[in-house]
Amino acid sequence: MSPDHTLVEESSRQLPLVRKLLLLLVLCFAQFLDAFSMSTILVAVPVLERSMGMTASQGVWIVSGNQLTFASTLLVSGRISDVYGPRLPFIGGVTALGLLSLGAGFVNNKLALIVLRSLSGIACAMSIPSALTLIVRVFPDPAEQARAIGIFGGCGAVADVLGFIIGAIFVQLASYRWIFWFVGMVSLVVGLSSAFVVPAHLAKARQDHEKSVPNWRDLDVVGVAILTVSLILFIFAVTTGSARGWTTLMVLIPLIVSMLLTIAFFFWEALLPVEKAAVPPYMWFYKNFSVLLIVALFPFLWWTVIYTIFMKLWQDVFHWSAISAVAHTLPLGIIAFATSFTGFLTRMFNPKWIILLGLFMASAGTTTLALAGGEPDNYWPFVFPAFLVGSAGTMLAFTHTNIAIFQTAPTSMAGTVGAMFNGALQLGSAIGLAAAISIEMSVEVIHGGPTKYHGRAAALWFILGIIATEVISVMWFYHKTTNQPALHSEDIAKDSGCSLGKGRIDKDEMEATTEHSV
């Protein structure tokens, strides 16, 4: 480990326990606000469309605009956190979310609202990778770090459910504007608190051994810009395809350009010195890093599809009220939060087996929902237990993938790793949901329309197929971890196809090849 990071780690170990717990609370609030601001707005979209005279396609962009900017700017946020330190990006991101949300509560123009929501996605993208970097630095002990990351992830699951409930209460009893004002006020309090709670020494950036200050040239601006535009176009194409049709020019052109830009990105990265690349090539050779990113495509997808299918079924077909429908989803969030406290299992079992257990539980829950979720009377005997088993399994997979992926890489790359992990979560959700909705609509055309369950069941079978693919990937490609000495930089360069002549690999990066004993 480099001297800079040894100093940061030692300073973190000396922090009082109360200071650490306060900091974790602040960081968890940031995760909570990110998920909460997304789930609450889903309840308010119908009211927003009526009050502002929006079309259905314009209403979609209140949600999609936020998702698009969030997912597409995660990588640049992670790199900023690694290069310049996580403290300022975190404080700035949370504070910006508060100001933008307050502004959104006052506007009466639909275009202004969409713009503010899109900018809020960038603010959230600044805070999440930096929050994960802070957790990794403040809790260097593997056991403490595992618990902290698990709790951090669990707050997002709780926020999803509470967002639906509180959003429905605001919409029905007050005004949709209170959704924005609530998020804004809490965000500003969290931002102000974090300025005092986050220790100053955590502002340290990833530094070269010979330099005392971070260099702006360490940030691959061109590479990040190419990849960001590529992701924006790709997410736009995917989110538009299910509504406009996959063969329309509005979908095909962004999709093709996105693919070309992705190819251009990898060519550009190959030309750069290793240590300056936006996504250093050797990251893909960290033990189990790639397979863990594949697993990260699944958790948010499962929850998003389940929420979408059953909220529409219960309200549009069963004619349950919005609050009643939301109340029936409570088991998803409660069991997910409870399962987030399983970080201690990493001291007893290899993450591979915990992740596989979670995937098998998710498959059992999904199968039950596909077979027996189409009648109101089936909620308690079938849907309720399937929610418990499926959500607990998904949270197991999410929590321990999150923990394991940070153990594959050095602390100096925590921001980038966090950005890639969260980007995979968002991409999996966006792409998978669009595919599931397309499958559902196609089957409904043949089997009696949206009042029947055939289309929803087909979408759930599609999710089961994704879970099966994940299971095979983990069983085949996830390698058991053991304590081994780190490879030398020459070995890393040789294995990853990187040339040491193009740039020295930081000693911290060498440590990432050490296989952690869990």
PDB file of all heavy atoms in Angstrom, residues 309-310 313-314 317-318 320 365-384 386-387 451-454 456-457 460:
ATOM      1  N   ILE A 309     -44.663  -4.634 -12.274  1.00  0.00           N
ATOM      2  CA  ILE A 309     -45.702  -5.608 -12.621  1.00  0.00           C
ATOM      3  C   ILE A 309     -46.851  -5.570 -11.621  1.00  0.00           C
ATOM      4  O   ILE A 309     -48.031  -5.473 -11.991  1.00  0.00           O
ATOM      5  CB  ILE A 309     -45.098  -7.023 -12.703  1.00  0.00           C
ATOM      6  CG1 ILE A 309     -44.286  -7.171 -13.987  1.00  0.00           C
ATOM      7  CG2 ILE A 309     -46.196  -8.090 -12.633  1.00  0.00           C
ATOM      8  CD1 ILE A 309     -43.598  -8.505 -14.129  1.00  0.00           C
ATOM      9  N   PHE A 310     -46.528  -5.634 -10.334  1.00  0.00           N
ATOM     10  CA  PHE A 310     -47.586  -5.798  -9.342  1.00  0.00           C
ATOM     11  C   PHE A 310     -48.276  -4.488  -8.985  1.00  0.00           C
ATOM     12  O   PHE A 310     -49.474  -4.487  -8.657  1.00  0.00           O
ATOM     13  CB  PHE A 310     -47.035  -6.509  -8.104  1.00  0.00           C
ATOM     14  CG  PHE A 310     -46.840  -7.981  -8.327  1.00  0.00           C
ATOM     15  CD1 PHE A 310     -45.611  -8.469  -8.731  1.00  0.00           C
ATOM     16  CD2 PHE A 310     -47.901  -8.857  -8.202  1.00  0.00           C
ATOM     17  CE1 PHE A 310     -45.432  -9.820  -8.978  1.00  0.00           C
ATOM     18  CE2 PHE A 310     -47.735 -10.203  -8.444  1.00  0.00           C
ATOM     19  CZ  PHE A 310     -46.497 -10.692  -8.833  1.00  0.00           C
ATOM     20  N   LEU A 313     -50.747  -4.205 -11.784  1.00  0.00           N
ATOM     21  CA  LEU A 313     -51.758  -5.260 -11.682  1.00  0.00           C
ATOM     22  C   LEU A 313     -52.766  -4.928 -10.589  1.00  0.00           C
ATOM     23  O   LEU A 313     -53.986  -4.993 -10.799  1.00  0.00           O
ATOM     24  CB  LEU A 313     -51.076  -6.595 -11.374  1.00  0.00           C
ATOM     25  CG  LEU A 313     -52.012  -7.781 -11.081  1.00  0.00           C
ATOM     26  CD1 LEU A 313     -52.770  -8.200 -12.331  1.00  0.00           C
ATOM     27  CD2 LEU A 313     -51.227  -8.965 -10.510  1.00  0.00           C
ATOM     28  N   TRP A 314     -52.267  -4.547  -9.434  1.00  0.00           N
ATOM     29  CA  TRP A 314     -53.153  -4.305  -8.301  1.00  0.00           C
ATOM     30  C   TRP A 314     -54.015  -3.067  -8.491  1.00  0.00           C
ATOM     31  O   TRP A 314     -55.180  -3.047  -8.073  1.00  0.00           O
ATOM     32  CB  TRP A 314     -52.322  -4.173  -7.022  1.00  0.00           C
ATOM     33  CG  TRP A 314     -51.642  -5.455  -6.620  1.00  0.00           C
ATOM     34  CD1 TRP A 314     -51.995  -6.721  -6.982  1.00  0.00           C
ATOM     35  CD2 TRP A 314     -50.491  -5.585  -5.784  1.00  0.00           C
ATOM     36  NE1 TRP A 314     -51.135  -7.634  -6.432  1.00  0.00           N
ATOM     37  CE2 TRP A 314     -50.205  -6.971  -5.686  1.00  0.00           C
ATOM     38  CE3 TRP A 314     -49.672  -4.684  -5.120  1.00  0.00           C
ATOM     39  CZ2 TRP A 314     -49.138  -7.462  -4.949  1.00  0.00           C
ATOM     40  CZ3 TRP A 314     -48.609  -5.161  -4.372  1.00  0.00           C
ATOM     41  CH2 TRP A 314     -48.347  -6.538  -4.279  1.00  0.00           C
ATOM     42  N   VAL A 317     -55.943  -3.569 -12.591  1.00  0.00           N
ATOM     43  CA  VAL A 317     -56.787  -4.758 -12.797  1.00  0.00           C
ATOM     44  C   VAL A 317     -57.608  -5.076 -11.558  1.00  0.00           C
ATOM     45  O   VAL A 317     -58.812  -5.315 -11.639  1.00  0.00           O
ATOM     46  CB  VAL A 317     -55.919  -5.975 -13.199  1.00  0.00           C
ATOM     47  CG1 VAL A 317     -56.806  -7.207 -13.412  1.00  0.00           C
ATOM     48  CG2 VAL A 317     -55.129  -5.669 -14.465  1.00  0.00           C
ATOM     49  N   PHE A 318     -56.957  -5.077 -10.375  1.00  0.00           N
ATOM     50  CA  PHE A 318     -57.675  -5.399  -9.137  1.00  0.00           C
ATOM     51  C   PHE A 318     -58.366  -4.168  -8.539  1.00  0.00           C
ATOM     52  O   PHE A 318     -59.168  -4.296  -7.623  1.00  0.00           O
ATOM     53  CB  PHE A 318     -56.718  -5.984  -8.091  1.00  0.00           C
ATOM     54  CG  PHE A 318     -56.086  -7.292  -8.498  1.00  0.00           C
ATOM     55  CD1 PHE A 318     -55.036  -7.822  -7.768  1.00  0.00           C
ATOM     56  CD2 PHE A 318     -56.537  -7.998  -9.605  1.00  0.00           C
ATOM     57  CE1 PHE A 318     -54.446  -9.022  -8.125  1.00  0.00           C
ATOM     58  CE2 PHE A 318     -55.956  -9.204  -9.978  1.00  0.00           C
ATOM     59  CZ  PHE A 318     -54.898  -9.713  -9.241  1.00  0.00           C
ATOM     60  N   TRP A 320     -57.182  -1.771  -6.616  1.00  0.00           N
ATOM     61  CA  TRP A 320     -56.789  -1.399  -5.261  1.00  0.00           C
ATOM     62  C   TRP A 320     -56.355   0.064  -5.268  1.00  0.00           C
ATOM     63  O   TRP A 320     -55.873   0.584  -6.276  1.00  0.00           O
ATOM     64  CB  TRP A 320     -55.643  -2.272  -4.767  1.00  0.00           C
ATOM     65  CG  TRP A 320     -55.992  -3.727  -4.602  1.00  0.00           C
ATOM     66  CD1 TRP A 320     -57.217  -4.301  -4.785  1.00  0.00           C
ATOM     67  CD2 TRP A 320     -55.102  -4.783  -4.233  1.00  0.00           C
ATOM     68  NE1 TRP A 320     -57.154  -5.651  -4.555  1.00  0.00           N
ATOM     69  CE2 TRP A 320     -55.865  -5.979  -4.209  1.00  0.00           C
ATOM     70  CE3 TRP A 320     -53.750  -4.844  -3.921  1.00  0.00           C
ATOM     71  CZ2 TRP A 320     -55.309  -7.219  -3.888  1.00  0.00           C
ATOM     72  CZ3 TRP A 320     -53.194  -6.068  -3.602  1.00  0.00           C
ATOM     73  CH2 TRP A 320     -53.965  -7.241  -3.578  1.00  0.00           C
ATOM     74  N   GLY A 365     -38.546 -17.490  -5.550  1.00  0.00           N
ATOM     75  CA  GLY A 365     -39.583 -16.474  -5.437  1.00  0.00           C
ATOM     76  C   GLY A 365     -40.158 -16.086  -6.793  1.00  0.00           C
ATOM     77  O   GLY A 365     -41.383 -15.929  -6.937  1.00  0.00           O
ATOM     78  N   THR A 366     -39.298 -15.946  -7.796  1.00  0.00           N
ATOM     79  CA  THR A 366     -39.756 -15.562  -9.134  1.00  0.00           C
ATOM     80  C   THR A 366     -40.633 -16.641  -9.744  1.00  0.00           C
ATOM     81  O   THR A 366     -41.665 -16.351 -10.372  1.00  0.00           O
ATOM     82  CB  THR A 366     -38.542 -15.297 -10.047  1.00  0.00           C
ATOM     83  OG1 THR A 366     -37.690 -14.325  -9.437  1.00  0.00           O
ATOM     84  CG2 THR A 366     -38.985 -14.787 -11.407  1.00  0.00           C
ATOM     85  N   THR A 367     -40.262 -17.899  -9.577  1.00  0.00           N
ATOM     86  CA  THR A 367     -41.061 -19.010 -10.111  1.00  0.00           C
ATOM     87  C   THR A 367     -42.448 -19.023  -9.477  1.00  0.00           C
ATOM     88  O   THR A 367     -43.462 -19.206 -10.166  1.00  0.00           O
ATOM     89  CB  THR A 367     -40.352 -20.346  -9.843  1.00  0.00           C
ATOM     90  OG1 THR A 367     -39.057 -20.322 -10.440  1.00  0.00           O
ATOM     91  CG2 THR A 367     -41.154 -21.505 -10.413  1.00  0.00           C
ATOM     92  N   THR A 368     -42.511 -18.814  -8.158  1.00  0.00           N
ATOM     93  CA  THR A 368     -43.806 -18.795  -7.470  1.00  0.00           C
ATOM     94  C   THR A 368     -44.682 -17.663  -7.985  1.00  0.00           C
ATOM     95  O   THR A 368     -45.883 -17.850  -8.223  1.00  0.00           O
ATOM     96  CB  THR A 368     -43.594 -18.642  -5.955  1.00  0.00           C
ATOM     97  OG1 THR A 368     -42.748 -19.685  -5.484  1.00  0.00           O
ATOM     98  CG2 THR A 368     -44.923 -18.689  -5.211  1.00  0.00           C
ATOM     99  N   LEU A 369     -44.107 -16.494  -8.185  1.00  0.00           N
ATOM    100  CA  LEU A 369     -44.878 -15.359  -8.686  1.00  0.00           C
ATOM    101  C   LEU A 369     -45.369 -15.596 -10.102  1.00  0.00           C
ATOM    102  O   LEU A 369     -46.486 -15.196 -10.457  1.00  0.00           O
ATOM    103  CB  LEU A 369     -44.017 -14.090  -8.633  1.00  0.00           C
ATOM    104  CG  LEU A 369     -43.644 -13.571  -7.248  1.00  0.00           C
ATOM    105  CD1 LEU A 369     -42.657 -12.417  -7.357  1.00  0.00           C
ATOM    106  CD2 LEU A 369     -44.877 -13.131  -6.471  1.00  0.00           C
ATOM    107  N   ALA A 370     -44.541 -16.242 -10.939  1.00  0.00           N
ATOM    108  CA  ALA A 370     -44.945 -16.511 -12.317  1.00  0.00           C
ATOM    109  C   ALA A 370     -46.100 -17.499 -12.378  1.00  0.00           C
ATOM    110  O   ALA A 370     -46.974 -17.399 -13.247  1.00  0.00           O
ATOM    111  CB  ALA A 370     -43.757 -17.044 -13.112  1.00  0.00           C
ATOM    112  N   LEU A 371     -46.132 -18.438 -11.438  1.00  0.00           N
ATOM    113  CA  LEU A 371     -47.151 -19.490 -11.467  1.00  0.00           C
ATOM    114  C   LEU A 371     -48.434 -19.101 -10.739  1.00  0.00           C
ATOM    115  O   LEU A 371     -49.514 -19.578 -11.091  1.00  0.00           O
ATOM    116  CB  LEU A 371     -46.593 -20.781 -10.842  1.00  0.00           C
ATOM    117  CG  LEU A 371     -45.478 -21.482 -11.619  1.00  0.00           C
ATOM    118  CD1 LEU A 371     -44.912 -22.633 -10.803  1.00  0.00           C
ATOM    119  CD2 LEU A 371     -45.997 -21.988 -12.964  1.00  0.00           C
ATOM    120  N   ALA A 372     -48.334 -18.251  -9.704  1.00  0.00           N
ATOM    121  CA  ALA A 372     -49.495 -18.075  -8.832  1.00  0.00           C
ATOM    122  C   ALA A 372     -49.719 -16.637  -8.398  1.00  0.00           C
ATOM    123  O   ALA A 372     -50.233 -16.406  -7.306  1.00  0.00           O
ATOM    124  CB  ALA A 372     -49.339 -18.957  -7.590  1.00  0.00           C
ATOM    125  N   GLY A 373     -49.386 -15.668  -9.234  1.00  0.00           N
ATOM    126  CA  GLY A 373     -49.537 -14.278  -8.799  1.00  0.00           C
ATOM    127  C   GLY A 373     -50.688 -13.536  -9.419  1.00  0.00           C
ATOM    128  O   GLY A 373     -50.820 -12.334  -9.217  1.00  0.00           O
ATOM    129  N   GLY A 374     -51.568 -14.200 -10.157  1.00  0.00           N
ATOM    130  CA  GLY A 374     -52.553 -13.493 -10.968  1.00  0.00           C
ATOM    131  C   GLY A 374     -53.926 -13.317 -10.392  1.00  0.00           C
ATOM    132  O   GLY A 374     -54.820 -12.816 -11.076  1.00  0.00           O
ATOM    133  N   GLU A 375     -54.139 -13.699  -9.122  1.00  0.00           N
ATOM    134  CA  GLU A 375     -55.457 -13.555  -8.509  1.00  0.00           C
ATOM    135  C   GLU A 375     -55.327 -12.813  -7.186  1.00  0.00           C
ATOM    136  O   GLU A 375     -54.358 -13.005  -6.449  1.00  0.00           O
ATOM    137  CB  GLU A 375     -56.090 -14.936  -8.269  1.00  0.00           C
ATOM    138  CG  GLU A 375     -56.360 -15.736  -9.531  1.00  0.00           C
ATOM    139  CD  GLU A 375     -57.415 -15.097 -10.412  1.00  0.00           C
ATOM    140  OE1 GLU A 375     -58.253 -14.343  -9.873  1.00  0.00           O
ATOM    141  OE2 GLU A 375     -57.400 -15.339 -11.626  1.00  0.00           O
ATOM    142  N   PRO A 376     -56.339 -11.989  -6.838  1.00  0.00           N
ATOM    143  CA  PRO A 376     -56.263 -11.243  -5.572  1.00  0.00           C
ATOM    144  C   PRO A 376     -56.131 -12.147  -4.349  1.00  0.00           C
ATOM    145  O   PRO A 376     -55.431 -11.826  -3.396  1.00  0.00           O
ATOM    146  CB  PRO A 376     -57.585 -10.459  -5.545  1.00  0.00           C
ATOM    147  CG  PRO A 376     -58.006 -10.365  -6.970  1.00  0.00           C
ATOM    148  CD  PRO A 376     -57.517 -11.618  -7.631  1.00  0.00           C
ATOM    149  N   ASP A 377     -56.824 -13.293  -4.381  1.00  0.00           N
ATOM    150  CA  ASP A 377     -56.797 -14.203  -3.232  1.00  0.00           C
ATOM    151  C   ASP A 377     -55.460 -14.918  -3.072  1.00  0.00           C
ATOM    152  O   ASP A 377     -55.249 -15.587  -2.057  1.00  0.00           O
ATOM    153  CB  ASP A 377     -57.912 -15.247  -3.369  1.00  0.00           C
ATOM    154  CG  ASP A 377     -59.297 -14.626  -3.285  1.00  0.00           C
ATOM    155  OD1 ASP A 377     -59.403 -13.506  -2.723  1.00  0.00           O
ATOM    156  OD2 ASP A 377     -60.262 -15.233  -3.777  1.00  0.00           O
ATOM    157  N   ASN A 378     -54.592 -14.812  -4.059  1.00  0.00           N
ATOM    158  CA  ASN A 378     -53.300 -15.513  -3.992  1.00  0.00           C
ATOM    159  C   ASN A 378     -52.216 -14.709  -3.276  1.00  0.00           C
ATOM    160  O   ASN A 378     -51.090 -15.183  -3.159  1.00  0.00           O
ATOM    161  CB  ASN A 378     -52.802 -15.848  -5.412  1.00  0.00           C
ATOM    162  CG  ASN A 378     -53.597 -16.972  -6.039  1.00  0.00           C
ATOM    163  OD1 ASN A 378     -54.329 -17.676  -5.357  1.00  0.00           O
ATOM    164  ND2 ASN A 378     -53.465 -17.135  -7.349  1.00  0.00           N
ATOM    165  N   TYR A 379     -52.563 -13.506  -2.795  1.00  0.00           N
ATOM    166  CA  TYR A 379     -51.513 -12.681  -2.196  1.00  0.00           C
ATOM    167  C   TYR A 379     -50.896 -13.349  -0.981  1.00  0.00           C
ATOM    168  O   TYR A 379     -49.667 -13.533  -0.923  1.00  0.00           O
ATOM    169  CB  TYR A 379     -52.059 -11.302  -1.808  1.00  0.00           C
ATOM    170  CG  TYR A 379     -50.997 -10.450  -1.131  1.00  0.00           C
ATOM    171  CD1 TYR A 379     -50.028  -9.787  -1.880  1.00  0.00           C
ATOM    172  CD2 TYR A 379     -50.934 -10.349   0.266  1.00  0.00           C
ATOM    173  CE1 TYR A 379     -49.037  -9.029  -1.268  1.00  0.00           C
ATOM    174  CE2 TYR A 379     -49.940  -9.599   0.886  1.00  0.00           C
ATOM    175  CZ  TYR A 379     -48.999  -8.948   0.115  1.00  0.00           C
ATOM    176  OH  TYR A 379     -48.003  -8.226   0.728  1.00  0.00           O
ATOM    177  N   TRP A 380     -51.693 -13.713   0.022  1.00  0.00           N
ATOM    178  CA  TRP A 380     -51.125 -14.238   1.263  1.00  0.00           C
ATOM    179  C   TRP A 380     -50.541 -15.643   1.106  1.00  0.00           C
ATOM    180  O   TRP A 380     -49.437 -15.893   1.605  1.00  0.00           O
ATOM    181  CB  TRP A 380     -52.175 -14.218   2.382  1.00  0.00           C
ATOM    182  CG  TRP A 380     -52.465 -12.822   2.844  1.00  0.00           C
ATOM    183  CD1 TRP A 380     -53.613 -12.108   2.648  1.00  0.00           C
ATOM    184  CD2 TRP A 380     -51.583 -11.957   3.553  1.00  0.00           C
ATOM    185  NE1 TRP A 380     -53.510 -10.842   3.181  1.00  0.00           N
ATOM    186  CE2 TRP A 380     -52.261 -10.722   3.758  1.00  0.00           C
ATOM    187  CE3 TRP A 380     -50.286 -12.083   4.041  1.00  0.00           C
ATOM    188  CZ2 TRP A 380     -51.688  -9.651   4.422  1.00  0.00           C
ATOM    189  CZ3 TRP A 380     -49.718 -11.007   4.701  1.00  0.00           C
ATOM    190  CH2 TRP A 380     -50.405  -9.817   4.897  1.00  0.00           C
ATOM    191  N   PRO A 381     -51.208 -16.568   0.404  1.00  0.00           N
ATOM    192  CA  PRO A 381     -50.608 -17.913   0.309  1.00  0.00           C
ATOM    193  C   PRO A 381     -49.420 -18.005  -0.651  1.00  0.00           C
ATOM    194  O   PRO A 381     -48.557 -18.873  -0.474  1.00  0.00           O
ATOM    195  CB  PRO A 381     -51.767 -18.792  -0.168  1.00  0.00           C
ATOM    196  CG  PRO A 381     -52.678 -17.861  -0.884  1.00  0.00           C
ATOM    197  CD  PRO A 381     -52.555 -16.547  -0.177  1.00  0.00           C
ATOM    198  N   PHE A 382     -49.336 -17.143  -1.654  1.00  0.00           N
ATOM    199  CA  PHE A 382     -48.287 -17.276  -2.667  1.00  0.00           C
ATOM    200  C   PHE A 382     -47.418 -16.024  -2.833  1.00  0.00           C
ATOM    201  O   PHE A 382     -46.192 -16.090  -2.751  1.00  0.00           O
ATOM    202  CB  PHE A 382     -48.906 -17.654  -4.016  1.00  0.00           C
ATOM    203  CG  PHE A 382     -49.607 -18.976  -4.015  1.00  0.00           C
ATOM    204  CD1 PHE A 382     -50.989 -19.042  -4.010  1.00  0.00           C
ATOM    205  CD2 PHE A 382     -48.887 -20.164  -3.996  1.00  0.00           C
ATOM    206  CE1 PHE A 382     -51.644 -20.259  -3.989  1.00  0.00           C
ATOM    207  CE2 PHE A 382     -49.524 -21.389  -3.982  1.00  0.00           C
ATOM    208  CZ  PHE A 382     -50.922 -21.440  -3.970  1.00  0.00           C
ATOM    209  N   VAL A 383     -48.040 -14.875  -3.078  1.00  0.00           N
ATOM    210  CA  VAL A 383     -47.282 -13.665  -3.388  1.00  0.00           C
ATOM    211  C   VAL A 383     -46.468 -13.195  -2.179  1.00  0.00           C
ATOM    212  O   VAL A 383     -45.278 -12.870  -2.304  1.00  0.00           O
ATOM    213  CB  VAL A 383     -48.216 -12.542  -3.876  1.00  0.00           C
ATOM    214  CG1 VAL A 383     -47.432 -11.246  -4.097  1.00  0.00           C
ATOM    215  CG2 VAL A 383     -48.911 -12.956  -5.168  1.00  0.00           C
ATOM    216  N   PHE A 384     -47.088 -13.172  -1.002  1.00  0.00           N
ATOM    217  CA  PHE A 384     -46.396 -12.701   0.204  1.00  0.00           C
ATOM    218  C   PHE A 384     -45.143 -13.533   0.499  1.00  0.00           C
ATOM    219  O   PHE A 384     -44.045 -12.963   0.655  1.00  0.00           O
ATOM    220  CB  PHE A 384     -47.361 -12.715   1.394  1.00  0.00           C
ATOM    221  CG  PHE A 384     -46.722 -12.331   2.697  1.00  0.00           C
ATOM    222  CD1 PHE A 384     -46.434 -11.005   2.974  1.00  0.00           C
ATOM    223  CD2 PHE A 384     -46.399 -13.292   3.641  1.00  0.00           C
ATOM    224  CE1 PHE A 384     -45.845 -10.643   4.178  1.00  0.00           C
ATOM    225  CE2 PHE A 384     -45.811 -12.952   4.845  1.00  0.00           C
ATOM    226  CZ  PHE A 384     -45.530 -11.623   5.111  1.00  0.00           C
ATOM    227  N   ALA A 386     -43.486 -15.384  -1.554  1.00  0.00           N
ATOM    228  CA  ALA A 386     -42.562 -15.232  -2.695  1.00  0.00           C
ATOM    229  C   ALA A 386     -41.825 -13.901  -2.595  1.00  0.00           C
ATOM    230  O   ALA A 386     -40.632 -13.816  -2.918  1.00  0.00           O
ATOM    231  CB  ALA A 386     -43.330 -15.312  -4.005  1.00  0.00           C
ATOM    232  N   PHE A 387     -42.518 -12.858  -2.145  1.00  0.00           N
ATOM    233  CA  PHE A 387     -41.861 -11.574  -1.914  1.00  0.00           C
ATOM    234  C   PHE A 387     -40.756 -11.709  -0.869  1.00  0.00           C
ATOM    235  O   PHE A 387     -39.655 -11.179  -1.033  1.00  0.00           O
ATOM    236  CB  PHE A 387     -42.886 -10.543  -1.435  1.00  0.00           C
ATOM    237  CG  PHE A 387     -43.631  -9.845  -2.540  1.00  0.00           C
ATOM    238  CD1 PHE A 387     -43.484 -10.230  -3.871  1.00  0.00           C
ATOM    239  CD2 PHE A 387     -44.491  -8.791  -2.268  1.00  0.00           C
ATOM    240  CE1 PHE A 387     -44.173  -9.600  -4.893  1.00  0.00           C
ATOM    241  CE2 PHE A 387     -45.181  -8.134  -3.278  1.00  0.00           C
ATOM    242  CZ  PHE A 387     -45.020  -8.549  -4.588  1.00  0.00           C
ATOM    243  N   THR A 451     -55.490  -7.209 -18.919  1.00  0.00           N
ATOM    244  CA  THR A 451     -56.275  -7.701 -17.785  1.00  0.00           C
ATOM    245  C   THR A 451     -55.929  -9.145 -17.447  1.00  0.00           C
ATOM    246  O   THR A 451     -56.301  -9.634 -16.380  1.00  0.00           O
ATOM    247  CB  THR A 451     -57.781  -7.599 -18.081  1.00  0.00           C
ATOM    248  OG1 THR A 451     -58.086  -8.364 -19.254  1.00  0.00           O
ATOM    249  CG2 THR A 451     -58.187  -6.148 -18.294  1.00  0.00           C
ATOM    250  N   LYS A 452     -55.259  -9.836 -18.332  1.00  0.00           N
ATOM    251  CA  LYS A 452     -54.826 -11.211 -18.086  1.00  0.00           C
ATOM    252  C   LYS A 452     -53.414 -11.210 -17.492  1.00  0.00           C
ATOM    253  O   LYS A 452     -52.696 -10.221 -17.534  1.00  0.00           O
ATOM    254  CB  LYS A 452     -54.851 -12.016 -19.385  1.00  0.00           C
ATOM    255  CG  LYS A 452     -56.202 -12.045 -20.085  1.00  0.00           C
ATOM    256  CD  LYS A 452     -57.254 -12.747 -19.246  1.00  0.00           C
ATOM    257  CE  LYS A 452     -58.592 -12.813 -19.983  1.00  0.00           C
ATOM    258  NZ  LYS A 452     -59.639 -13.485 -19.175  1.00  0.00           N
ATOM    259  N   TYR A 453     -53.011 -12.371 -16.980  1.00  0.00           N
ATOM    260  CA  TYR A 453     -51.715 -12.475 -16.297  1.00  0.00           C
ATOM    261  C   TYR A 453     -50.639 -13.076 -17.185  1.00  0.00           C
ATOM    262  O   TYR A 453     -49.472 -13.127 -16.800  1.00  0.00           O
ATOM    263  CB  TYR A 453     -51.890 -13.327 -15.037  1.00  0.00           C
ATOM    264  CG  TYR A 453     -50.742 -13.226 -14.062  1.00  0.00           C
ATOM    265  CD1 TYR A 453     -50.497 -12.038 -13.372  1.00  0.00           C
ATOM    266  CD2 TYR A 453     -49.889 -14.304 -13.831  1.00  0.00           C
ATOM    267  CE1 TYR A 453     -49.453 -11.934 -12.480  1.00  0.00           C
ATOM    268  CE2 TYR A 453     -48.838 -14.209 -12.935  1.00  0.00           C
ATOM    269  CZ  TYR A 453     -48.617 -13.025 -12.259  1.00  0.00           C
ATOM    270  OH  TYR A 453     -47.578 -12.919 -11.367  1.00  0.00           O
ATOM    271  N   HIS A 454     -50.991 -13.505 -18.397  1.00  0.00           N
ATOM    272  CA  HIS A 454     -50.036 -14.221 -19.248  1.00  0.00           C
ATOM    273  C   HIS A 454     -48.800 -13.366 -19.553  1.00  0.00           C
ATOM    274  O   HIS A 454     -47.668 -13.866 -19.514  1.00  0.00           O
ATOM    275  CB  HIS A 454     -50.704 -14.635 -20.565  1.00  0.00           C
ATOM    276  CG  HIS A 454     -51.835 -15.598 -20.370  1.00  0.00           C
ATOM    277  ND1 HIS A 454     -53.118 -15.184 -20.107  1.00  0.00           N
ATOM    278  CD2 HIS A 454     -51.872 -16.956 -20.402  1.00  0.00           C
ATOM    279  CE1 HIS A 454     -53.902 -16.239 -19.984  1.00  0.00           C
ATOM    280  NE2 HIS A 454     -53.175 -17.325 -20.152  1.00  0.00           N
ATOM    281  N   ARG A 456     -47.552 -10.807 -17.851  1.00  0.00           N
ATOM    282  CA  ARG A 456     -46.744 -10.612 -16.646  1.00  0.00           C
ATOM    283  C   ARG A 456     -45.968 -11.882 -16.293  1.00  0.00           C
ATOM    284  O   ARG A 456     -44.803 -11.813 -15.875  1.00  0.00           O
ATOM    285  CB  ARG A 456     -47.647 -10.186 -15.494  1.00  0.00           C
ATOM    286  CG  ARG A 456     -48.333  -8.842 -15.744  1.00  0.00           C
ATOM    287  CD  ARG A 456     -49.335  -8.486 -14.644  1.00  0.00           C
ATOM    288  NE  ARG A 456     -49.900  -7.155 -14.874  1.00  0.00           N
ATOM    289  CZ  ARG A 456     -50.976  -6.920 -15.614  1.00  0.00           C
ATOM    290  NH1 ARG A 456     -51.612  -7.932 -16.190  1.00  0.00           N
ATOM    291  NH2 ARG A 456     -51.420  -5.687 -15.791  1.00  0.00           N
ATOM    292  N   ALA A 457     -46.617 -13.022 -16.450  1.00  0.00           N
ATOM    293  CA  ALA A 457     -45.932 -14.292 -16.191  1.00  0.00           C
ATOM    294  C   ALA A 457     -44.757 -14.481 -17.152  1.00  0.00           C
ATOM    295  O   ALA A 457     -43.677 -14.943 -16.747  1.00  0.00           O
ATOM    296  CB  ALA A 457     -46.913 -15.457 -16.322  1.00  0.00           C
ATOM    297  N   LEU A 460     -41.858 -12.509 -15.991  1.00  0.00           N
ATOM    298  CA  LEU A 460     -41.222 -13.152 -14.839  1.00  0.00           C
ATOM    299  C   LEU A 460     -40.384 -14.356 -15.260  1.00  0.00           C
ATOM    300  O   LEU A 460     -39.325 -14.618 -14.689  1.00  0.00           O
ATOM    301  CB  LEU A 460     -42.289 -13.563 -13.821  1.00  0.00           C
ATOM    302  CG  LEU A 460     -42.977 -12.386 -13.101  1.00  0.00           C
ATOM    303  CD1 LEU A 460     -44.228 -12.854 -12.365  1.00  0.00           C
ATOM    304  CD2 LEU A 460     -42.007 -11.720 -12.140  1.00  0.00           C
TER     305      LEU A 460
END
